[in-house]
Amino acid sequence: MKGGAIEAARANMKVKGIVSFHGGLSRDDTRTINPISARVLVLHGADDPYESEAEIKSFQNEMRTAKADWEMVYYANAVHSFTDKNAGTDTSKGAAYNEKADKRSWKALLEFLKEVL
């Protein structure tokens, strides 16, 4: 499921927070933007070719409209799948492992969990 964690927040599932690692951000534009009660953390490769600037901007505007408590962290030199060691290291393919981004995003997740739980 593309953007499963983010869809859980959009559906206001009974969760305190969601974390998206290099996930899909787009939404069905025909759906109404409702308030989001879960905290939202998006960990994103700064060079991820699978999410356009327009999709990122639309997602951020959606979070503002939904009055969500959200944050988005970008990782330099990281593309899609930056936490997947099996993705290889060739960033020109659009999906590749990035050790720094992997370690930094894991730390961000742990800090987020401390705050949310």
Side-chain angles (χ1 to χ4, degrees), residues 43-48 72-83 91 96-105:
L43 306 170
H44 190 73
D47 300 325
D48 187 334
M72 188 167 185
V73 180
Y74 292 90
Y75 296 99
N77 307 310
V79 293
H80 199 73
S81 298
F82 61 82
T83 62
T91 58
Y97 179 68
N98 180 301
E99 185 176 10
K100 276 186 187 177
D102 184 17
K103 289 179 178 179
R104 289 174 177 170
S105 64

Side-chain angles (χ1 to χ4, degrees), residues 26-107:
S26 63
R27 72 175 184 84
D28 178 352
D29 288 338
T30 64
R31 288 177 47 197
T32 302
I33 297 173
N34 294 310
I36 292 176
S37 58
R39 288 229 9 234
V40 176
L41 173 61
V42 175
L43 306 170
H44 190 73
D47 300 325
D48 187 334
Y50 296 116
E51 297 298 320
S52 69
E53 286 186 44
E55 286 173 316
I56 292 168
K57 187 175 209 77
S58 177
F59 170 78
Q60 292 174 347
N61 287 334
E62 174 192 3
M63 292 296 106
R64 290 180 184 99
T65 301
K67 305 287 190 233
D69 181 0
W70 67 283
E71 60 185 297
M72 188 167 185
V73 180
Y74 292 90
Y75 296 99
N77 307 310
V79 293
H80 199 73
S81 298
F82 61 82
T83 62
D84 182 359
K85 290 181 181 177
N86 295 318
T89 57
D90 183 356
T91 58
S92 71
K93 293 182 179 180
Y97 179 68
N98 180 301
E99 185 176 10
K100 276 186 187 177
D102 184 17
K103 289 179 178 179
R104 289 174 177 170
S105 64
W106 187 253
K107 286 180 184 177

